[in-house]
Amino acid sequence: MKRVETAIPGVLVLEPRVFADERGFFMESWQQRRYAEQGLPPLVQDNLAASRHGVLRGLHLQHPFGQGKLVQVLRGEVFDVAVDVRRGSPWFGRWVAVLLSGESRRQFWVPPGFAHGYCVTSEEALFAYKCSDYYHPEAELALRWDDPDVAIDWPQVGEPQLSEKDRNAKRLAEIEPDRLPQY
C-alpha cells in the first residue's frame, strides 16, 4: 500500500495494491493490521451512498464521538474534502481535497476532528466509507459547504443538490466553540 501525505498532517491518501488482469481486479479494501501500520484505528461501521451528478453531501462531523472515515468510490467519481475544525489546530479552517474514482481505487483517510464532504462529478457515484465510531445523531454537526472563510474550491457542477440539513448548515465562525473538537 502506498501512503500519500496531504498538506494537513494525519489526512492521508492511501493507494492499496491492486492485482488486475483480463478477468478484472482484486484488492484488499481493509485489513486491520495493514491499515493500523498506517496509523488508522479499528473501524466499526460501514456506510454506502449512491448519488447523482451534482449531489454535494457535507460537510459533516460528530462531536463528541468523533468519527474517522476511510472513504472510497466504488463506481463513478467524487471530489472529496476534509476541513480541519479542531479548536487550537494550526490548520484550523484549512481544507484538503482529493479526486476519488472507481478507476483509481484510491482511499482517503479523514481523521476525527475534521468535517467531511464530497461532490459527485460523474454521472453517478457509489461511495463507501468505514467509520471509527458509531453514528450518534445527537452529536452530529454540519458545516456550510460554501463558507467563504473556508473557501473550498469545489468543482463546477452547476447548482449543487443539497439536503435540507446541508442547506441550513452554519458557517464555521457561527458554530459555538464548545461544539467543535479540541486539537
Side-chain angles (χ1 to χ4, degrees), residues 25-40:
F25 75 91
F26 171 84
M27 67 177 260
E28 285 183 347
S29 60
W30 172 255
Q31 201 255 41
Q32 177 61 43
R33 281 190 303 258
R34 200 171 331 279
Y35 283 75
E37 291 169 1
Q38 300 301 324
L40 276 67

Side-chain angles (χ1 to χ4, degrees), residues 14-172:
L14 301 170
E15 298 177 356
R17 289 185 59 198
V18 178
F19 303 92
D21 60 25
E22 66 279 352
R23 299 168 299 159
F25 75 91
F26 171 84
M27 67 177 260
E28 285 183 347
S29 60
W30 172 255
Q31 201 255 41
Q32 177 61 43
R33 281 190 303 258
R34 200 171 331 279
Y35 283 75
E37 291 169 1
Q38 300 301 324
L40 276 67
L43 302 176
V44 300
Q45 179 177 321
D46 275 343
N47 298 319
L48 189 62
S51 303
R52 296 183 313 270
H53 176 80
V55 167
L56 194 151
R57 296 183 186 267
L59 300 154
H60 303 149
L61 70 142
Q62 285 188 168
H63 179 69
F65 310 110
Q67 283 184 315
K69 297 175 182 175
L70 178 65
V71 304
Q72 69 185 70
V73 172
L74 304 177
R75 184 178 62 239
E77 181 182 83
V78 307
F79 180 81
D80 201 278
V81 178
V83 180
D84 190 345
V85 296
R86 300 169 297 171
R87 291 177 292 141
S89 167
W91 303 276
F92 182 79
R94 289 185 46 199
W95 59 275
V96 292
V98 63
L99 203 59
L100 299 175
S101 72
E103 286 186 19
S104 76
R105 299 181 187 90
R106 297 165 80 190
Q107 298 173 318
F108 194 39
W109 170 245
V110 180
F114 286 76
H116 170 257
Y118 63 92
C119 181
V120 178
T121 56
S122 57
E123 183 79 18
E124 62 179 8
L126 188 57
F127 186 87
Y129 59 107
K130 299 177 180 312
C131 300
S132 64
D133 200 351
Y134 300 102
Y135 174 62
H136 293 271
E138 73 282 3
E140 189 176 47
L141 186 60
L143 171 65
R144 190 165 173 85
W145 70 277
D146 62 350
D147 182 334
D149 297 326
V150 177
I152 297 170
D153 188 16
W154 293 100
Q156 297 299 314
V157 293
E159 187 65 29
Q161 298 173 48
L162 304 165
S163 69
E164 183 176 342
K165 172 179 73 176
D166 293 342
R167 260 192 310 278
N168 297 322
K170 294 180 179 182
R171 292 174 52 186
L172 186 55

